[in-house]
Amino acid sequence: MTDPRDDLLIIGGGMVGTTAAWAAARHAPGSRIVLVDRGEPGGGTSAHSAALIVPYAPDSAHRTLMGEAAALLAEAPLAGFQRTVPMLFVTAQDNVTTAAGRFLGSPIPVADATRLAALHAAYPDLRLGQGETVLDAGDRCTLLDVPAWITAVLDGTSPGAPAPRVLTRTTVTRVRADGDGWAADTADGSVLRARRVLLATGPWPAPEIVCDPGAVTTSDLVTAPATPRGEPSAATTTKLVAALHLAPGTLRDRPHTPGVVFLDDDLFVLPGATPLVSFAARRILADGEVPRAGLPADEKAAGVRALARRLPALARQVTGGRCFPDTYTPGRLPVVDRPAAAPGLVRITGCSGSGIRFAPALAARAVRLLDTPHDQPTTPHLLASSGATS
């Protein structure tokens, strides 16, 4: 049982929840922060992500969120957990101006002869459509070492942010109003008490929320407006996110070996010790459904077909794959909100496959929102609306 004086209980120890613990500790040194995970921190969805950070935004709301995240990712200590990876982007000629302009900063340029040579050296059987153009992101894309970052936060080696107290393999079944704070009931019968609560459960079922004077169920939180003023709904769908694994050595992770993104195919190839291919899986999951280990045969076949249309030789090097669930909003924009009936409780949800790259911004927004008195209106930059279109 935690001490009743705990300041913040974070439910969910993935990239988003762990980064929120770091942000909260940095924001208010000396705070008593408890992080709870149903398994091991970083062992769920975050463990399976490619962790590729692309400063790309399809609309103004995503651009604002990506800008906030990019500023934090560029600073210590997060900057020290990344390495630059060269990435090239393939798109139709009539989409070049739009796609190039969606990157933060200046538009990315068309790839020059040197970069095209590196692309064709790495992918000799590359199939480009008539009129397609290759754009060069230069050094703007990075890979984040998620396990190392989570370890640094949780063992207290991240400068300026003491480690939270961590409870592993602890499932919170219900969060209920408790005086001027909250009490969290767990599956093993223990009760955790804290002044404030942050839900960062990702695609996993959130606990039941019981408020005073009435009851608010998890489903009510998902479908209800974010505030009494009627902001857009944060309704989400859980779907499969999938990647193919290529045989080791197929694409050596050398300094000048680029990854390649096929924007119009929602497909990218990333070199590495075990190269991977991210593709658009289509399976919608039932609430609380956990995909089986590995990659379903039908999804694997669909991914191989998508890869073969672009890189047939690589399609023959597929050895398997992985999949994991994630929650998506209609506009693929994550949501940070607080239910009107639940003072001191904030939720992050709908990371839409972008939880790694948006995590610092989502964590910062959540901490600011937790610190905003419940009777004080929130300003637009505190809430990520789910009304954008992708």
Side-chain angles (χ1 to χ4, degrees):
M1 179 181 295
T2 62
D3 189 289
R5 294 172 295 177
D6 289 328
D7 296 294
L8 176 62
L9 172 65
I10 300 174
I11 302 174
M15 177 65 185
V16 173
T18 300
T19 304
W22 165 77
R26 192 175 70 154
H27 175 72
S31 295
R32 295 172 58 90
I33 299 169
V34 179
L35 184 142
V36 178
D37 194 86
R38 64 199 292 271
E40 297 292 331
T45 293
S46 297
H48 300 290
S49 171
L52 176 65
I53 298 175
V54 179
Y56 180 87
D59 54 51
S60 60
H62 281 88
R63 193 175 192 87
T64 298
L65 186 61
M66 189 67 246
E68 294 173 18
L72 290 166
L73 287 163
E75 297 177 353
L78 275 162
F81 292 85
Q82 298 168 75
R83 65 180 178 87
T84 300
V85 56
M87 296 296 296
L88 298 171
F89 292 75
V90 176
T91 191
Q93 177 61 45
D94 60 6
N95 190 48
V96 166
T97 300
T98 298
R102 286 178 170 174
F103 282 77
L104 266 62
S106 59
I108 62 172
V110 173
D112 62 18
T114 300
R115 296 288 279 164
L116 288 175
L119 175 66
H120 288 289
Y123 310 94
D125 66 337
L126 172 66
R127 294 180 177 177
L128 297 178
Q130 185 174 5
E132 285 191 318
T133 298
V134 180
L135 302 172
D136 182 6
D139 61 357
R140 300 195 199 184
C141 301
T142 62
L143 287 175
L144 178 66
D145 190 341
V146 175
W149 168 246
I150 289 177
T151 297
V153 173
L154 299 187
D155 68 11
T157 58
S158 177
R165 182 180 178 190
V166 180
L167 301 177
T168 63
R169 302 189 181 281
T170 301
T171 299
V172 176
T173 57
R174 183 174 67 164
V175 177
R176 51 189 169 81
D178 181 42
D180 60 354
W182 295 89
D185 301 321
T186 68
D188 65 8
S190 61
V191 179
L192 315 174
R193 290 185 169 84
R195 190 164 56 88
R196 300 172 298 171
V197 173
L198 173 61
L199 300 179
T201 57
W204 314 113
E208 178 188 12
I209 310 299
V210 179
C211 303
D212 186 20
V216 177
T217 66
T218 300
S219 60
D220 291 330
L221 284 174
V222 170
T223 59
T227 75
R229 300 191 309 282
E231 280 82 354
S233 166
T236 60
T237 299
T238 302
K239 69 180 290 290
L240 200 67
V241 181
L244 303 172
H245 296 164
L246 304 179
T250 302
L251 281 172
R252 295 179 183 176
D253 193 11
R254 293 172 175 168
H256 301 295
T257 301
V260 58
V261 179
F262 300 95
L263 282 174
D264 303 329
D265 300 48
D266 205 357
L267 176 80
F268 71 79
V269 181
L270 192 63
T274 300
L276 64 83
V277 179
S278 175
F279 66 96
R282 302 299 179 189
R283 183 171 302 188
I284 303 300
L285 303 175
D287 186 36
E289 180 182 353
V290 178
R292 286 186 289 181
L295 185 61
D298 58 339
E299 293 289 353
K300 177 183 174 182
V304 171
R305 288 194 298 271
L307 178 61
R309 288 191 290 271
R310 291 295 192 168
L311 297 160
L314 287 190
R316 295 190 290 272
Q317 297 298 316
V318 173
T319 59
R322 65 179 183 246
C323 64
F324 54 93
D326 204 0
T327 51
Y328 281 70
T329 62
R332 292 193 173 192
L333 185 67
V335 174
V336 181
D337 68 359
R338 59 183 188 187
L345 185 144
V346 167
R347 168 187 65 160
I348 302 172
T349 191
C351 287
S352 305
S354 297
I356 300 297
R357 68 189 186 116
F358 287 149
L362 298 174
R365 289 183 176 196
V367 169
R368 291 197 300 267
L369 197 53
L370 284 164
D371 266 1
T372 303
H374 210 73
D375 58 357
Q376 179 179 323
T378 54
T379 53
H381 73 279
L382 291 176
L383 295 176
S385 164
S386 62
T389 56
S390 59

